[in-house]
């Protein structure tokens, strides 16, 4: 197997994306292939694993959930553009950004769109952080760092004074950590973005 990306490790399995548009589950113990899934298009970013699900996006505008155990497709949802970011799985939602600049919240059990907010793009390699009530991400240089309310996607805050790099952010202990276009680490107060 020729790897395109490393995706996730869960339940004794290593999930990887291949150069032939497949997701493969490998045994963490011996590297043997447990199953493969042929995606509809290239998977340029990694996948997220949580519970029994593995979720990833494709270059032909789909977010797909598979069973970690068997590789069976659980659901697939069409979004507005390619997905070049690793999704974030919460207890009831999948949070994922599209290349067009739209942040989506999908129902984790069936993939239905719960809400979507656009105008942040383009979004490449932007895996959102989640704290139980808000979704945080570094958008484009013109959209800044953003926090959305996880229940309905409304804007909690947006910091336009800092230009984020297109990369993932992290949340811990009331703070959001993100990289700027000049390569510096910025720490923002998660309650108001200051």
């Amino acid at each position: 197997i020729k790897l395109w990306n490393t995706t996730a490790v869960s339940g004794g399995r290593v999930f990887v994306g291949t150069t032939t548009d497949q997701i493969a589950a490998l045994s963490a113990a011996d590297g043997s292939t447990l199953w493969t899934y042929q995606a509809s298009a290239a998977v340029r970013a990694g996948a997220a694993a949580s519970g029994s699900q593995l979720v990833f996006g494709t270059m032909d505008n789909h977010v797909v959930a598979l069973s970690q155990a068997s590789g069976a497709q659980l659901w697939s949802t069409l979004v507005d553009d390619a997905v070049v970011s690793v999704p974030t799985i919460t207890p009831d939602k999948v949070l994922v950004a599209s290349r067009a600049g739209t942040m989506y919240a999908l129902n984790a059990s069936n993939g239905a769109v719960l809400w979507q907010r656009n105008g942040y793009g383009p979004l490449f390699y932007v895996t959102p952080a989640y704290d139980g009530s808000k979704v945080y991400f570094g958008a484009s240089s013109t959209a800044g760092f953003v926090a959305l309310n996880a229940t309905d996607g409304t804007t909690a805050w947006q910091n336009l004074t800092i230009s984020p790099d297109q990369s993932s952010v992290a949340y811990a202990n009331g703070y959001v950590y993100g990289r700027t276009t000049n390569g510096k680490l910025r720490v923002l107060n998660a309650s108001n973005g200051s």
Side-chain angles (χ1 to χ4, degrees), residues 3-98:
L3 302 183
W4 178 261
N5 58 52
T6 308
T7 55
V9 178
S10 178
R13 299 174 192 91
V14 178
F15 302 100
V16 296
T18 73
T19 57
T20 56
D21 304 340
Q22 292 181 325
I23 295 289
L26 308 176
S27 166
D30 63 15
S32 63
T33 302
L34 302 172
W35 55 257
T36 59
Y37 172 84
Q38 184 64 52
S40 56
V43 179
R44 292 292 182 245
S50 181
S52 62
Q53 286 187 329
L54 181 73
V55 183
F56 60 92
T58 65
M59 292 302 288
D60 68 347
N61 312 355
H62 287 87
V63 180
V64 180
L66 305 179
S67 162
Q68 286 187 35
S70 67
Q73 182 176 303
L74 303 173
W75 52 260
S76 177
T77 300
L78 184 65
V79 295
D80 66 346
D81 199 359
V83 176
V84 195
S85 301
V86 177
T88 297
I89 303 173
T90 77
D92 61 344
K93 295 176 183 68
V94 171
L95 305 167
V96 66
S98 76

Side-chain angles (χ1 to χ4, degrees), residues 28 32 42 71 75 86 102 109 114 123 136 153 182:
S32 63
W75 52 260
V86 177
T102 304
S109 62
L114 300 172
L123 296 176
Y136 305 97
N182 64 0

Side-chain angles (χ1 to χ4, degrees), residues 133-136 146-150 153-158 190-193:
S133 64
K134 291 187 191 84
V135 179
Y136 305 97
V146 180
L148 303 177
N149 292 306
T154 55
T155 303
W157 55 259
Q158 189 167 4
S191 64
N192 60 19

Side-chain angles (χ1 to χ4, degrees), residues 117-186:
R117 296 293 176 263
N118 60 9
Y120 302 112
L123 296 176
F124 293 92
Y125 309 111
V126 176
T127 297
Y130 174 71
D131 70 356
S133 64
K134 291 187 191 84
V135 179
Y136 305 97
F137 59 100
S140 65
S141 59
T142 58
F145 284 96
V146 180
L148 303 177
N149 292 306
T151 54
D152 60 8
T154 55
T155 303
W157 55 259
Q158 189 167 4
N159 186 327
L160 297 169
T161 64
I162 304 169
S163 196
D165 189 13
Q166 297 251 340
S167 63
S168 302
V169 298
Y171 168 86
N173 303 317
Y175 293 95
V176 177
Y177 301 83
R179 191 176 73 191
T180 63
T181 53
N182 64 0
K184 303 213 182 220
L185 176 67
R186 292 301 300 249

